[in-house]
Amino acid sequence: MDAAFTEEQHEIRRTLRELLHKRCGPDEVKAAVRTPPGYDEQLWHQLAARLGLPGLALPTAYGGVGCGPTELALACEETGRVVLPSPLIATAALAAPLILALGSERQRSTLLPALAAGEMTATLAVPGGRLATALALTGPNDGDWAGGGRAGGIQARQVPADGGGPATGRWRLYGEAGQVLNGHTAQLLVVAAHTGGFARSRTRLFLVRADAGGPAGLLRIRQTAMDETRPQARLELREVPAELLGEEGGDAAAVPGALAATGARAAAALAAEAVGVADAALARTVGYVREREQFGRPIGSFQAVQHRLADLYVALQAARSAAYYAAWSAGRGPSGGGADAAAHEAPEPGAGGLALAQALETLRAVAAEAVQLHGGIGFTWEHAAHLYFKRAACDELLLGPVHRLRARAAAEAGLFPQGTGTGAGAGDGPVVALRTREGAGA
């Protein structure tokens, strides 16, 4: 592995950092999250036009820049540095890779150029708030996480053609999904739903056009979230028209694999974003302890404070290395589209989830120390330190918990023998083993 970045990668980082530094101070971020969309739409279009940010990891054949997960991770690190509220993760890390991997040629050529140009945003809607499970980050995604044909979840059924006759390619979705990233503004929804009823249930992905007010039966409600920079929504679908992602009669068995491959790339991007947030929080804290005086000297001159900051710095560098490695691992193999694209890309098992766990844990530690070392002012909600603290708390709720990310990574890497919880209901066996070792002081 060559850890050195290319000049093009350095230029992506420099250009994005300069632009965000001018437009995304804490006050600008707080103002953007209180707008109806929850982010600065003008800035989003500027990032798309100047840098091609939404299409950074998409092939040039579909209007993208033609880069890969490493470049997307570097961009996410810079957006994390300013805690940028944007639909980047939802569009570029979740929805677009699934359309590229599973979509028909018509769907890819129609949707991906619009996503790459920033003309359209998209997101992945998973019922039950089980995004991490759907992406195979906290457990296997071959179970009933999308409803299993039972009550709840989201169900899909084919409807007859006009005038009767057998069911055609027309689908209707019924159900509910919460904690959908940017779900209240995304013009395109990639919805995970179950087909076939209880006896022959299987998970498929469907496309729902939500622009122009959305179809009849679709209700989108922005949820109140602790972290306002990560807007989420609840979707209620009542017989909503939908289109199957991919060809009718396609292989449903490809869906879990495509979701898992997308999860590996998304985990790398999210880990890099968390590293960027932690880096900014640590830099702000170091600057503060250099200036804040107590007992006639800067508090940063006290050895106890220096030791705490040094420990955070070491943890941050380790998390950064893990995030970069996960992005490099996710980018191995051909990056072309097609239904079997995800099968050709074989990242190292567990690398993405392990990097994400380490990044989230590091961010939580850095954010907590940032609040404490800022003293009384750090405990006020208005201070910028709480942008980092809220992101740390809510990302782990959305994508974790950390111990399940690690347990799943260990199971994927084959660290546990057969029969210790690596099957359905995953995580329980490895989690028990990890807790036992922790309790024993291993």
Side-chain angles (χ1 to χ4, degrees):
M1 174 184 175
D2 184 3
F5 292 118
T6 65
E7 182 56 36
E8 181 183 14
Q9 290 168 337
H10 281 302
E11 185 61 28
I12 291 173
R13 186 202 293 270
R14 282 194 300 267
T15 305
L16 186 55
R17 183 177 297 187
E18 290 173 2
L19 178 58
L20 294 179
H21 178 72
K22 297 175 182 177
R23 298 287 302 273
C24 290
D27 292 337
E28 287 83 0
V29 169
K30 292 177 183 178
V33 298
R34 289 175 173 81
T35 61
Y39 64 94
D40 187 340
E41 291 182 296
Q42 183 180 4
L43 177 59
W44 171 251
H45 291 303
Q46 187 177 357
L47 292 172
R50 285 187 56 181
L51 301 176
L53 198 60
L56 200 59
L58 288 176
T60 55
Y62 299 111
V65 179
C67 296
T70 299
E71 289 77 11
L72 181 60
L74 291 176
C76 288
E77 185 179 356
E78 295 306 316
T79 60
R81 198 181 299 277
V82 296
V83 203
L84 176 70
S86 78
L88 178 62
I89 292 294
T91 299
L94 296 178
L98 290 171
I99 297 172
L100 179 64
L102 297 174
S104 64
E105 181 57 35
R106 177 187 60 81
Q107 291 169 338
R108 294 198 299 268
S109 60
T110 301
L111 300 175
L112 292 180
L115 294 177
E119 299 169 358
M120 176 189 295
T121 60
T123 190
L124 172 64
V126 175
R130 305 185 70 182
L131 178 62
T133 303
L135 298 175
L137 293 175
T138 57
N141 62 355
D142 54 358
D144 59 355
W145 53 268
R150 301 172 176 83
I154 299 178
Q155 309 300 322
R157 66 179 183 89
Q158 284 185 301
V159 297
D162 294 336
T168 64
R170 301 170 58 196
W171 292 84
R172 295 290 185 271
L173 303 183
Y174 190 96
E176 182 177 308
Q179 294 182 284
V180 180
L181 295 179
N182 298 99
H184 65 298
T185 57
Q187 289 98 348
L188 179 68
L189 305 175
V190 180
V191 183
H194 257 282
T195 66
F198 178 78
R200 296 181 299 160
S201 64
R202 52 183 181 172
T203 303
R204 304 297 296 268
L205 296 180
F206 297 86
L207 300 173
V208 175
R209 295 275 193 163
D211 48 2
L218 175 63
L219 178 62
R220 305 195 287 176
I221 304 169
R222 182 175 178 179
Q223 293 178 301
T224 300
M226 180 180 177
D227 179 17
E228 295 178 304
T229 66
R230 190 81 86 190
Q232 302 173 28
R234 186 176 82 250
L235 308 182
E236 296 180 4
L237 303 98
R238 301 293 182 265
E239 299 296 322
V240 172
E243 176 186 357
L244 181 68
L245 179 60
E247 302 287 352
E248 289 288 341
D251 184 13
V255 173
L259 283 166
T262 299
R265 291 185 167 213
L270 287 160
E273 185 187 65
V275 165
V277 179
D279 195 15
L282 182 58
R284 181 178 289 271
T285 305
V286 170
Y288 179 79
V289 300
R290 284 175 174 171
E291 298 174 355
R292 176 75 169 92
E293 291 190 359
Q294 190 64 269
F295 305 110
R297 56 190 286 194
I299 62 175
S301 64
F302 293 105
Q303 195 174 53
V305 174
Q306 293 175 356
H307 286 175
R308 290 164 70 177
L309 293 174
D311 288 342
L312 294 178
Y313 178 79
V314 171
L316 176 60
Q317 294 306 316
R320 176 178 280 118
S321 296
Y324 289 168
Y325 181 81
W328 171 82
S329 176
R332 292 185 298 180
S335 58
D340 59 346
H344 289 295
E345 300 175 4
E348 183 172 334
L354 198 58
L356 180 57
Q358 187 161 356
L360 291 177
E361 191 172 61
T362 300
L363 174 56
R364 182 178 59 193
V366 172
E369 289 285 9
V371 171
Q372 189 171 34
L373 289 175
H374 274 83
I377 192 174
F379 282 85
T380 61
W381 283 114
E382 294 77 16
H383 195 271
H386 283 270
L387 289 174
Y388 314 123
F389 181 80
K390 293 175 183 177
R391 174 62 67 88
C394 292
D395 268 10
E396 188 169 354
L397 289 173
L398 182 68
L399 303 163
V402 164
H403 72 268
R404 288 202 176 273
L405 288 169
R406 287 203 170 107
R408 174 60 178 169
E412 281 189 307
L415 297 183
F416 297 99
Q418 293 292 329
T420 57
T422 57
D428 290 343
V431 169
V432 171
L434 287 174
R435 286 176 177 168
T436 302
R437 291 183 181 180
E438 291 171 358

